[in-house]
Structures are given as C-alpha cells and as structure tokens.
C-alpha cells in the first residue's frame, strides 16, 4: 500500500522482520528511488545502510540523535569494551 500511495514520509515498525534480507533491501532501495523518507523502528543492523541518522534510546532513559557514521563508531567502541570485559573475566 505504501508504494501505491507514495507518501513523502513513512514510519516502518519492524516491517521487515518476516522477510529476507534481499527483499528488505529491495523495499528500502525502492523507497529511496521514489522519494519516500523512512523512519524505521528495528533491531536489524542490516537496515543501517539505508539510513543517514539514528535516534537511539538507552536503558538509562537517555536518547541520542546521531549521524549513522557516528552511531556506528559508538557501537564498535561499545562492542570492543564489552569484548575486553569478557576477556578480562577469563
């Protein structure tokens, strides 16, 4: 329905959780091609490549609005810190 209506904006809440990564990619690429700006709610890291900005919410009730490149750096640093803590515990 979204593709036939061609809205300027669309909010997608876990809309690709039941489709393959290939179908997911086709959907997001088509939205970009026809000019639909997407706001996505998802846990899939595979969707990061289709977004320029991230609004993330922390467990401590904080939130951040970051460019995707900055968010990716932050996530890598967190993963590295977590892996270091696991290694230290051994």
């Amino acid at each position: 329905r979204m593709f036939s209506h061609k809205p300027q904006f669309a909010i997608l809440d876990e809309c690709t959780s039941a489709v393959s990564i290939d179908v997911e990619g086709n959907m997001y690429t088509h939205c970009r091609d026809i000019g639909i700006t997407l706001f996505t709610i998802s846990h899939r890291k595979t969707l990061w490549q289709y977004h320029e900005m991230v609004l993330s919410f922390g467990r401590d009730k904080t939130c951040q609005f970051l460019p995707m490149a900055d968010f990716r750096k932050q996530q890598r640093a967190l993963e590295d810190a977590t892996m270091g803590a696991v290694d230290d515990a051994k």
Side-chain angles (χ1 to χ4, degrees):
R1 196 168 12 175
M2 177 180 66
F3 294 131
S4 63
H5 288 286
K6 297 181 185 171
Q8 184 176 0
F9 302 98
I11 299 171
L12 306 177
D13 185 359
E14 295 288 354
C15 72
T16 62
S17 61
V19 301
S20 70
I21 292 173
D22 293 337
V23 171
E24 169 186 278
N26 291 337
M27 288 171 54
Y28 276 81
T29 299
H30 186 65
C31 285
R32 180 170 281 169
D33 290 346
I34 63 175
I36 300 174
T37 299
L38 298 176
F39 296 87
T40 302
I41 301 164
S42 181
H43 292 93
R44 280 190 170 183
K45 289 183 178 183
T46 55
L47 293 175
W48 289 8
Q49 64 185 311
Y50 304 106
H51 296 81
E52 297 170 15
M53 301 292 293
V54 177
L55 175 61
S56 66
F57 297 92
R59 293 177 192 262
D60 58 354
K61 299 184 182 179
T62 60
C63 65
Q64 300 180 90
F65 188 58
L66 300 169
M68 181 56 77
D70 293 345
F71 180 75
R72 285 178 185 252
K73 287 178 193 172
Q74 188 179 70
Q75 292 301 301
R76 279 193 293 272
L78 286 171
E79 288 171 5
D80 290 348
T82 302
M83 292 305 291
V86 169
D87 291 341
D88 291 343
K90 290 182 181 181

